[in-house]
Amino acid sequence: MWVSAHNEAEARTKAAKKFNVPEKDVTLKRDEDVLDTWFSSGIFPFSTMGWPDKSPDMTLFYPNNILETGHDILFFWVARMVMMGLELTDTLHFKDVYLHPMIRDAHGVKMSKSLGNVVDPLFIVNGISLDELHKAIDNGYLKPEELVRA
């Protein structure tokens, strides 16, 4: 279970209250992954190029010209890329954004690996039996009620 806090003492107090246990019974473990998805997406265009150093890749490939993405993440990723790029590199990473259409399943839900409503492309390339496909679906990320629908 997760709690967030400014320091360890505050986290211990919050956890004890949340789980209705004495503070002395709370064991804390700091999350080692400090970059959340939305933050890391903002620095992705230049952090992968060796930033903050002026690496050969950074010089050759940053800034770029075009970003291609879906409209559903304009605010979550693209806006952060713009803000973080300008703040940390004084450079706009791309000048043009091309939006691709969204592919949806038979129920109108966006197809997504995390929703489990897509087929692994490697299954198409390498082939898969129906039994193996069912096992892959059963072992995926779907909630039990979603699994019935899949």
Side-chain angles (χ1 to χ4, degrees), residues 19-39:
F19 300 110
N20 198 28
V21 297
E23 285 189 27
K24 67 178 182 58
D25 293 342
V26 173
T27 301
L28 298 175
K29 181 177 186 268
R30 185 181 302 262
D31 187 351
E32 296 173 10
D33 185 7
V34 296
L35 289 178
D36 76 335
T37 301
W38 304 126
F39 179 82

Side-chain angles (χ1 to χ4, degrees), residues 41-125:
S41 68
I43 64 172
F44 178 79
F46 48 89
S47 66
T48 58
M49 304 287 176
W51 174 86
D53 299 326
K54 274 287 190 189
S55 69
D57 282 348
M58 186 80 167
T59 303
L60 184 61
F61 298 112
Y62 191 87
N64 206 324
N65 293 316
I66 298 168
L67 175 72
E68 183 272 333
T69 187
H71 73 277
D72 58 325
I73 62 167
L74 277 176
F75 177 74
F76 299 109
W77 285 40
V78 179
R80 284 171 173 77
M81 287 179 183
V82 169
M83 291 183 280
M84 298 296 279
L86 289 173
E87 178 66 24
L88 299 174
T89 69
D90 283 330
T91 307
L92 185 60
H93 175 58
F94 40 80
K95 294 182 179 84
D96 295 308
V97 177
Y98 293 140
L99 300 178
H100 61 71
M102 302 307 299
I103 299 175
R104 300 185 181 276
D105 67 12
H107 305 284
V109 177
K110 178 180 107 172
M111 294 186 80
S112 163
K113 288 186 294 187
S114 60
L115 291 176
N117 61 354
V118 296
V119 174
D120 186 330
L122 292 177
F123 294 164
I124 306 298
V125 172

